[in-house]
Amino acid sequence: MEKELGIYIHIPFCVKKCNYCDFNSGSFSDEIKALYVDALCKEIEIKSEFFKDYIIDTVFIGGGTPSILPYEYIGRILEALRSFYSVSDKAEISIECNPGTVDEDKLINYRKFGIDRISFGLQSTDNDELKILGRIHTYEEFLESFKLARKAGFENINVDLMSAIPDQTVESFKKSLKNVCDLNPEHISVYSLIIEEGTPFYDMELNLADEDDEREMVHIIPDILGDEYTQYEISNYSKKGYVCKHNIKYWVRDEYLGFGVSAASLLKFNDFKELRLKNTNSVRDYINIVNYDSELIKKFTDFDIYNPFYSENIILSEEDTMSEYMIVGLRMNRGISKRDFYDTFGKDVYGSYGDIINEHIKEGLLKDEQGFVSLTEKGRDLANYVWKDFI
Amino acid sequence: MTDQSKIRNFCIVAHIDHGKSTLADRIIESTGLLTSREMQAQVLDNMDLERERGITIKSQAVRNVYKAKDGEEYIFNLIDTPGHVDFNYEVSRSLAACDGAILVVDAAQGIEAQTLANVYLALDHDLDVFPVINKIDLPSADPKRVIDEIEDVIGIEAQDAPLISAKNGIGIDEVLEAIVHKIPAPKGDVNAPLKALIFDSIYDSYKGVIVFCRLMDGRISKGSNVLMMATKATCEVVEVGTFGAGQFFPCDELTAGMVGYFTASIKNVRDTAVGDTVTEAKNPCKEPCPGYKKVHSMVYCGVYPSDGAKYPDLRDALEKLQLNDASLNYEPETSIALGFGFRCGFLGLLHLEIIQERLEREYNLDLVTTAPGVVYHVHTTAGEMIELTNPSNLPDPSLIEYMEEPIVSAEIMVTTEFIGSIMELCQERRGRYLGMEYMEETRALLKYELPLNEIIYDFFDALKSRSKGYASFDYDLKDYERSELVKLDILVNHEEVDALSFIVHKDTAYERGRKMCEKLKDEIPRHLFEIPIQAAVGGKIIARETVKAMRKDVLAKCYGGDITRKKKLLEKQKEGKKRMRQIGNVEIPQAAFMSVLKLDDKK
């Protein structure tokens, strides 16, 4: 039987970096962008020999802002993928777009390349809030982009929103959410802002929501979204049948392969337990190695050498695997399946984590229902407190 | 045998930062014992810790050879003295080993409380003191004023005091000549029975205890059978010698007037107490050197390893430190909150901090210490007197007739603009005002009697912050006085935390209790539930704060590339939890136990 594989492709380019962003992204010249896309296509080809017996069922083109590239580049990347891998006809293929960076032409071509899912980084419908975040677009530009996407035939659209934006009130958040809800997208992600070290926000004096307001914003989401949407992960909501299949792979720990700078992979080869890879974070190193030292790319299982192509290449022990299984699995509302745990590790989840699970059930943070152990609503507020015990 | 007329035994007394160590360096340099290349920045202070704090802890001695202008070679034995009030007794023994002292006074700062204390101590020991004015090259230097001040306040001749800059090597020759002419030569009797004063001792893993002594009379050499008159220990001398800078130079014998060391396979520094007299076992001298005192610990606190499994390591480390420091006491104790540890006795708060830092730095231990306390005298209804060093051992109030606490007499030197705020501070600390003397127009010496337990917490810090660093302070234990003392308990989520209990005067109990609750509120992380923090005296709650329940602790985003980093964050969180102490169902970080030591909030 062919194994399934998810593909992640990282486009680290942005018009301008946002104030909260700690992803690997930034503004680069057109020349670098072209070189980078060439390198991406080469990396896709070079790695292909290891994945002959896989079928690709999800592709996610993320960033950065993939949509600032000329659409031809996206076409070339997907063409490379299809020529060296077997990509399922039914594969979910997503692309992240920034409002204001797409036009009708681009969107129609995305459809032609087989892309069937768009994720818009909106964050807020309040233009003042967008300004504080350092976003380059307005709400009105987003509305235009959204309309064009529908017109181009996209039937699976996600909109990213943010809560706890500096100066945001519970009311203004509610309004953003309602506005988005009225557009009837298939999927909505709501991330509570985290001020990360190294971002401009980290050094700014910000008027941030207090803990009570911050939680209220999160707690009112289901009410505003109504019955049509279901929460399936800490920050993700979708209509029935529209969960992001690619992202689910991260949380159930299916195999995925990343291309481009900082892209991560989780692979389960026969002779290893599990392998985690992460590509170099440097655009310059990435392009150079792909062009001049491409043998290094294949040497991800050679642990004796210093390999500058990978910022991470490690074998996960069974202990690591199990602990990750619990932590990422509990991000999903359905939680972890006790049967799947048994099938995966050959032992009972209570045998490994019984004390921890029972303690958190007693605290009202976990529940065990119908074969699944999952976070309660209160548990989702305090998930770190639960997760850390599985480390 | 060395001609006593060519020996000069002296020390340097000064306030911290007035340049004592720098002058010592210059003297050592100028006498040519060491080349400049060998000179460490400050030769006498060989512990890192001392250098960082700018003070000298363990006294040491250096022997230098100086060729004077009269063409003769003189032996200078420079004996270093600790510069802090905690080590007053050690200072006094070092002074007793000298025949004279150089008083270093900063040309800009003038006389400080500590200067006075040390000079008086030197004069008490009949030392000939001559002043040196240092830092004359500072723009703010005013040597004339300082000279007058020395004459007025201390009453010693200062008109011809060398004006120097130890840092820049100005006037050092003058100091060297002054040592020859102004410090008297020793006048011991070489033929009398051995009489040597111990002024320090250190433990060396190869040689055993190395005893630093000054020979008053007689001689000592390899094979001498000696007796320590106070501890009654006897031993056979293995080696005698003199001191280089940080080195030992063995020699055949030491004779009257000399300063040097001997070793004798002594295993414990307790047998060679500072201030004791060494004499011949078979032919002892009639009288020991005067002034010997058994040192008592003034300040106690609980010292616990933050990782319970490190208890044996802590015990070993304390054992080793004690080999070198007879004034450190410890005995095992247990705390419900902190597990197994030791109740340790110290000369003072600085001594406590130094030991704590050495344990952490040299022995790589992570420690939790409890609030330091003093020794209380508890008189029970049964007519007994208990010396209480651990508040947890306080008997039931119904069994206590009355309690006494140690009182010190303190002298605080302060510029006049801060007199008001310093008096206010002393008032808050239950000080009894004894009087004030003006040193000059702008500076005064305040005299107070203060309970020791009021100055061991954060008095130094408070003094410094309320005088913008201008006040200096010195104290001496006076006696014990009856006092209305109570035990203040801290309850976290209704459970008493024994390691946070302490004894306090009943009038300050409320204030301290309130501040402790406030501090703890900031230190204890939010839990799933609300945590009341209460201060109680005799079961009665006198203050309360609440740590609100935790509402949010969740990473919003986690996709493929984030997993490793997010795992690290969770690991960190878990590590933090490990370093906490479990009291009932509340986890208290170790920092909380320490933070309550610094409660003064006026700046």
Side-chain angles (χ1 to χ4, degrees), chain B residues 119-133:
Chain B
V119 169
Y120 287 144
L121 212 52
L123 294 172
D124 283 350
H125 287 85
D126 290 328
L127 301 190
D128 286 9
V129 178
F130 78 86
V132 177
I133 314 299

Side-chain angles (χ1 to χ4, degrees), chain B residues 105 107 110-111 131 133 142-161 163 439-440 443:
Chain B
V105 183
I111 294 170
I133 314 299
D142 188 356
K144 179 76 189 63
R145 178 184 66 87
V146 173
I147 286 170
D148 290 346
E149 194 180 57
I150 294 170
E151 295 199 327
D152 288 353
V153 177
I154 304 173
I156 58 173
E157 167 69 30
Q159 289 308 322
D160 57 351
L163 303 180
M439 295 288 108
E440 53 184 322
R443 279 190 320 155

Side-chain angles (χ1 to χ4, degrees), chain A residues 22 191 211-212 214-215 235-236 250-251 276 278 312 324 331 363 381-384 388 391, chain B residues 526 528 550-561 563-565 567 570-571 573-574 577:
Chain A
D22 73 331
Y191 301 106
E211 226 174 70
D212 289 348
E214 192 276 340
R215 275 301 103 180
S235 307
N236 284 289
Y250 297 129
W251 304 317
R276 176 179 327 285
K278 193 170 184 189
E312 221 177 292
E324 278 184 22
R331 294 193 68 87
E363 291 168 334
D381 289 338
L382 303 169
N384 291 354
K388 72 176 189 310
I391 291 271
Chain B
R526 290 181 171 202
L528 295 181
M550 171 169 66
R551 297 219 43 206
K552 183 214 170 184
D553 186 11
V554 54
L555 297 164
K557 244 181 188 181
C558 184
Y559 297 101
I563 289 168
T564 307
R565 203 161 53 96
K567 255 171 79 182
L570 293 170
E571 260 162 40
Q573 203 169 343
K574 190 174 182 173
K577 191 182 156 154

Side-chain angles (χ1 to χ4, degrees), chain A residues 40-109:
Chain A
L40 259 180
C41 294
K42 275 191 194 146
E43 189 197 0
I44 289 170
E45 179 182 349
I46 290 164
K47 279 182 174 166
S48 64
E49 65 177 84
F50 300 98
F51 301 93
K52 293 296 174 212
D53 51 349
Y54 282 87
I55 183 154
I56 290 166
D57 61 343
T58 68
V59 178
F60 195 104
I61 305 170
T65 311
S67 55
I68 67 167
L69 291 180
Y71 64 79
E72 295 88 346
Y73 287 4
I74 302 294
R76 278 184 51 208
I77 293 165
L78 287 172
E79 197 183 299
L81 202 61
R82 289 200 175 92
S83 36
F84 296 104
Y85 300 74
S86 71
V87 179
S88 160
D89 292 343
K90 290 177 226 144
E92 169 195 276
I93 304 179
S94 306
I95 188 164
E96 286 185 331
C97 293
N98 240 2
T101 60
V102 289
D103 52 35
E104 199 167 355
D105 209 19
K106 225 178 226 180
L107 290 162
I108 288 168
N109 277 289

Side-chain angles (χ1 to χ4, degrees), chain B residues 34 105 111 178 216 284 357 474 540 575 578:
Chain B
L34 288 173
V105 183
I111 294 170
M216 300 302 177
E357 279 190 46
D474 197 46
K540 190 172 160 251
E575 275 305 306
K578 257 198 213 155

Side-chain angles (χ1 to χ4, degrees), chain B residues 336-355:
Chain B
I336 299 161
L338 300 175
F340 291 99
F342 295 92
R343 176 104 333 213
C344 299
F346 307 93
L347 295 173
L349 201 61
L350 178 77
H351 187 214
L352 181 158
E353 282 178 25
I354 288 165
I355 294 293

